[in-house]
Amino acid sequence: MIYYIDFDRTIFNTKLFLEDLCDILEEYHIPKDKFIEKTSETEEFNPFKILRLMKDEYPYNSSLLVDIERLLKSSSVYLYYDALKFLRDLKKNNNQIILLTKGDEDFQNCKIDNCGIRKIFDKVIITHEDKGNLDINYQGIFIDDKKEEIESILKRKPYKVYLIDRDNKDNLINDSNINTIHSLSEIIIN
């Protein structure tokens, strides 16, 4: 079976990572709210690109970049507690595992590499498009946290789709083809 697994908020605790990133920024007198505001103006999240956009208003020195690099090097601590076991169990059962994520290619690759999980995946796909618009085999199992992405995937009639709602936000989609879960351990591996 082919498993397409999202990265942020699915296997990587993006919320905690962003909190730690914002703590670093505040140490350098870059207000969290201004950073988040500037983030919403960019198409894809990459703190280095966002900081360059803010440099005139909030000058910083290279030690900030070093601290952010240090945070990125510790990316493996942001893997959810159930992620590695789930991925290893998939691999053990000879499933094809594809990391399918949306975002800034450089930043996503950096997080993935620093988590030490790239070798687990048969393929890594980083896209800018809706996941339902890709040229991939949709007769697999998709695991994602974003309703919009799942809705685009559903148009391609996938084998099975899991909406992971880690924060219990009742992020529900009224569709009988959707399985809402709160942990990867809820998935029965084929």
Side-chain angles (χ1 to χ4, degrees):
M1 182 58 67
I2 303 172
Y3 282 80
Y4 293 94
I5 304 169
D6 179 50
F7 184 70
D8 289 301
R9 292 166 303 279
T10 300
I11 61 174
F12 186 81
N13 190 336
T14 308
K15 180 181 175 188
L16 184 57
F17 176 84
L18 289 176
E19 288 172 5
D20 290 348
L21 174 62
C22 286
D23 287 346
I24 292 170
L25 295 174
E26 287 182 340
E27 288 175 23
Y28 288 87
H29 309 291
I30 299 173
K32 173 183 176 179
D33 59 333
K34 295 293 183 185
F35 180 78
I36 291 171
E37 181 181 307
K38 190 58 81 171
T39 297
S40 65
E41 295 174 16
T42 61
E43 230 173 90
E44 296 170 341
F45 182 80
N46 181 323
F48 299 108
K49 291 178 181 176
I50 295 165
L51 286 171
R52 279 195 295 273
L53 296 173
M54 298 178 71
K55 190 159 183 139
D56 290 341
E57 190 176 354
Y58 297 98
Y60 57 87
N61 60 38
S62 62
S63 61
L64 169 61
L65 303 178
V66 169
D67 284 347
I68 294 172
E69 287 286 343
R70 190 174 303 123
L71 177 70
L72 281 167
K73 289 200 183 310
S74 70
S75 288
S76 63
V77 303
Y78 297 100
L79 289 173
Y80 282 108
Y81 70 95
D82 57 354
L84 280 177
K85 180 180 181 340
F86 177 73
L87 294 171
R88 288 179 180 142
D89 287 349
L90 284 176
K91 196 67 151 175
K92 193 173 16 178
N93 287 330
N94 297 316
N95 291 291
Q96 185 179 3
I97 312 169
I98 298 173
L99 184 64
L100 178 58
T101 187
K102 198 171 181 179
D104 179 89
E105 191 169 350
D106 293 335
F107 189 61
Q108 291 298 79
N109 274 319
C110 186
K111 290 188 298 183
I112 293 163
D113 289 340
N114 283 307
C115 282
I117 59 171
R118 185 177 296 273
K119 63 186 172 286
I120 294 174
F121 294 95
D122 296 292
K123 187 174 186 179
V124 173
I125 300 171
I126 301 171
T127 185
H128 305 285
E129 297 181 51
D130 288 340
K131 294 176 183 176
N133 294 339
L134 301 174
D135 185 20
I136 59 175
N137 179 355
Y138 285 90
Q139 289 308 302
I141 296 173
F142 290 80
I143 306 166
D144 206 302
D145 70 298
K146 287 207 184 285
K147 286 169 63 167
E148 302 81 19
E149 292 300 334
I150 287 179
E151 288 168 345
S152 78
I153 291 166
L154 283 173
K155 293 175 185 173
R156 302 298 294 267
K157 305 209 183 315
Y159 175 73
K160 191 179 283 187
V161 177
Y162 289 95
L163 170 63
I164 189 158
D165 181 18
R166 290 217 181 249
D167 296 325
N168 296 316
K169 291 186 260 184
D170 291 328
N171 197 16
L172 303 174
I173 299 174
N174 290 329
D175 189 309
S176 61
N177 297 318
I178 302 290
N179 300 287
T180 300
I181 58 173
H182 301 286
S183 163
L184 294 170
S185 61
E186 295 176 48
I187 298 173
I188 297 171
I189 297 173
N190 299 332

